[in-house]
Amino acid sequence: MGEIKEAELPGLGKKYVVRLDSGDRFTVVIYDEGNRELFCFAPEEEEPLCSVTLTDQEARQVGSIIGGAFYQPKLLEKLESAIAELHIEWLKIAPNAPLAGKSIGDLSLRKKYGVNIVAVIEDAGKGKKRTAAINPGPGYVFTPGQTVIAAARRDALEEFERMVSVEGG
């Protein structure tokens, strides 16, 4: 990933300038009322090539799509993104994983490990995915084959990954 610069826009919101490894860059302005404006720039150009304005809900939907909440590329077993020290991973539960058949509460994921489960996605057949749970509670029970989206510090996610894999932890 390239570089992200953040700036306060007093009375308006925040501005993020994202410079990609390719040299392209885009700017995202998040207004306090929720709307977002995106501006795409070619390398070394000052004028945007294009821009788009999104409502808060549209921006969240597009963010979920880009983040892989609805579709995980087939070539990727595991996706990871990191913001500061917060890491987010998409992990598929192996058939004999130690956490299969146990609930979030049984495992004390948040209290014991500092792992937060953002969502659980299941295979709906015919290559489609469906969201089984968003922000599931302590009673939610994991089953093999599900993809778990978890957020935590790197070390906590490594321990959680062992619970999701066949080898166990």
Side-chain angles (χ1 to χ4, degrees):
M1 174 87 183
E3 164 188 304
I4 301 173
K5 290 184 180 177
E6 177 181 331
E8 292 286 334
L9 300 175
L12 293 176
K14 278 198 171 193
K15 174 178 146 182
Y16 296 89
V17 177
V18 180
R19 187 174 301 276
L20 304 174
D21 291 337
S22 65
D24 290 339
R25 70 184 196 287
F26 61 94
T27 298
V28 179
V29 177
I30 302 175
Y31 293 98
D32 289 337
E33 76 272 2
N35 285 347
R36 276 84 158 166
E37 282 187 300
L38 285 79
F39 302 92
C40 298
F41 298 85
E44 309 305 324
E45 292 293 326
E46 295 300 320
E47 294 296 320
L49 296 171
C50 66
S51 67
V52 65
T53 301
L54 303 169
T55 65
D56 182 62
Q57 184 177 7
E58 292 167 336
R60 291 176 191 278
Q61 289 173 328
V62 170
S64 296
I65 292 167
I66 293 172
F70 297 102
Y71 174 74
Q72 181 178 355
K74 292 182 170 103
L75 295 177
L76 299 176
E77 285 290 316
K78 178 178 87 172
L79 299 176
E80 178 183 336
S81 63
I83 302 167
E85 292 189 32
L86 173 67
H87 292 260
I88 301 171
E89 287 197 31
W90 283 251
L91 300 165
K92 190 167 188 171
I93 300 174
N96 297 318
L99 65 60
K102 295 180 181 169
S103 72
I104 293 172
D106 291 340
L107 298 164
S108 298
L109 290 177
R110 182 178 297 167
K111 186 176 178 184
K112 209 168 163 183
Y113 303 98
V115 173
N116 293 290
I117 304 302
V118 176
V120 179
I121 298 171
E122 294 178 339
D123 186 355
K126 299 182 181 177
K128 295 185 177 184
K129 303 282 183 190
R130 75 173 188 86
T131 303
I134 296 173
N135 191 23
Y140 189 85
V141 177
F142 296 109
T143 59
Q146 294 175 323
T147 298
V148 178
I149 302 171
R153 296 176 63 101
R154 162 85 347 252
D155 56 336
L157 280 176
E158 287 173 358
E159 190 158 351
F160 181 66
E161 188 173 354
R162 286 191 286 277
M163 289 187 236
V164 171
S165 68
V166 175
E167 296 86 28

